[in-house]
Amino acid sequence: MKRNTWQREAVRSALGESDGFISAQALHGALRDSGTTIGLATVYRALTDLTDEGEADTLTQDGEALYRACTPDTHHHHLICRRCGATEEIAADPVEQWARQVAAEHGYTKAEHVVDIFGLCPACSRLSETPDTP
Amino acid sequence: MKRNTWQREAVRSALGESDGFISAQALHGALRDSGTTIGLATVYRALTDLTDEGEADTLTQDGEALYRACTPDTHHHHLICRRCGATEEIAADPVEQWARQVAAEHGYTKAEHVVDIFGLCPACSRLSETPDTP
DNA sequence: ATGAATGCAAACTCTTTGCACATTG
DNA sequence: CAATGTGCAAAGAGTTTGCATTCAT
């Protein structure tokens, strides 16, 4: 049976408070700053559980995992700026359908998909004219 | 001045050979299997250089950095069985278009995307009825 | 009371760095 | 010959795990 501990609630709550994506360690720091005495491992475990349960969304950037609260009914993907790290949610309904169809065509079940787009956001595109020779 | 060593060439070449994204360690393993005696650190350094020079593309997934040669003509996606590891190439033309459009709509440039589908292949789907209690 | 969850610290994985030696230009 | 690249091993960063203790049920 899954127990209901204040730590787990604290993680869920803090994740909901935070605006964008946040790293496990940053979340742990925030929780500590808020006066709680939660352990880092517990934060990691809670985040893993939340992700498994579909309550959190995760992506890894630059060697660390970033988490964000996620409503189970809105499966979405991300458009990530490779330079400044800005992240935008994108709806990917066409891709959802396509993914389901491809999986079905090949007889695959329990299909999950990973769809992320990396690029340079408008600001970063302007700031640095990438030297390119095509 | 940047020197021209066989190690650097070997990394560039091996990266070009490999199909999709590949981790530094996997690349190192492949190079070792090919009979070379290149060091892991050298592979990392070469990959960093190649990325800086725009000859390689990088993204991090699941805590490790994946690299790929930056030539856009080797672009396809994979349908991967989570149980037995079988991998099939899939055409993703609709997704290509969608990705390009989404990036453009948001003003992103130099967009790359990651699209992979994980599931259970027909055989594995039959073999193991996944115990699930929703 | 019972057993899952916590917290700490040690273990692990991936990556980077310091330094002596080899190699390139 | 001078300076840059290499290889090894040790150090770092992020994450996971083992185990005794605490706490929800």
Side-chain angles (χ1 to χ4, degrees):
Chain A
M1 177 58 186
K2 191 164 296 260
R3 290 189 188 175
N4 193 16
T5 64
W6 64 264
Q7 286 97 331
R8 212 163 281 263
E9 273 310 311
V11 170
R12 192 207 312 272
S13 160
L15 195 62
E17 294 294 307
S18 117
D19 228 21
F21 281 82
I22 187 172
S23 73
Q25 314 224 10
L27 200 56
H28 177 237
L31 285 164
R32 280 289 171 98
D33 289 350
S34 301
T36 72
T37 59
I38 193 171
L40 178 58
T42 301
V43 173
Y44 275 108
R45 285 189 273 234
L47 286 173
T48 301
D49 288 356
L50 287 173
T51 301
D52 286 349
E53 293 162 16
E55 297 193 51
D57 207 11
T58 185
L59 69 90
T60 76
Q61 192 169 353
D62 209 48
E64 65 181 1
L66 304 181
Y67 300 84
R68 186 196 162 167
C70 155
T71 6
D73 55 78
T74 49
H75 180 84
H76 47 247
H77 299 282
H78 300 106
L79 177 58
I80 302 151
C81 178
R82 149 168 58 228
R83 176 112 32 194
C84 71
T87 302
E88 304 186 33
E89 272 179 24
I90 50 184
D93 300 310
V95 175
E96 306 294 323
Q97 286 185 17
W98 167 84
R100 226 168 299 142
Q101 183 187 330
V102 168
E105 276 174 6
H106 291 255
Y108 275 56
T109 62
K110 307 270 176 199
E112 304 257 345
H113 56 268
V114 181
V115 173
D116 287 303
I117 307 182
F118 299 85
L120 294 181
C121 73
C124 291
S125 293
R126 263 190 298 280
L127 283 179
S128 57
E129 296 286 74
T130 312
D132 227 331
T133 20
Chain B
M1 178 57 186
K2 193 162 292 264
R3 289 188 190 174
N4 192 18
T5 64
W6 65 264
Q7 286 97 332
R8 215 164 278 263
E9 273 310 311
V11 170
R12 191 208 312 273
S13 160
L15 195 62
E17 294 294 308
S18 115
D19 229 21
F21 283 86
I22 186 171
S23 74
Q25 314 224 9
L27 202 56
H28 177 238
L31 284 164
R32 279 290 171 97
D33 289 349
S34 300
T36 72
T37 60
I38 194 171
L40 177 57
T42 301
V43 172
Y44 274 107
R45 285 189 273 235
L47 285 173
T48 301
D49 288 355
L50 287 173
T51 301
D52 286 350
E53 293 161 18
E55 297 194 51
D57 209 12
T58 184
L59 70 90
T60 75
Q61 191 168 359
D62 209 47
E64 65 181 0
L66 304 181
Y67 300 83
R68 158 180 101 175
C70 221
T71 340
D73 58 78
T74 52
H75 187 84
H76 47 251
H77 301 284
H78 297 106
L79 177 57
I80 302 153
C81 178
R82 167 169 41 233
R83 179 106 36 189
C84 70
T87 302
E88 304 185 32
E89 268 178 29
I90 50 183
D93 301 310
V95 175
E96 306 292 325
Q97 285 186 19
W98 166 84
R100 225 169 299 142
Q101 184 186 328
V102 168
E105 275 175 7
H106 290 256
Y108 275 55
T109 62
K110 309 270 173 198
E112 297 271 340
H113 55 268
V114 183
V115 173
D116 287 303
I117 307 182
F118 299 86
L120 295 181
C121 73
C124 292
S125 294
R126 262 189 298 278
L127 284 179
S128 57
E129 296 287 76
T130 311
D132 231 328
T133 17

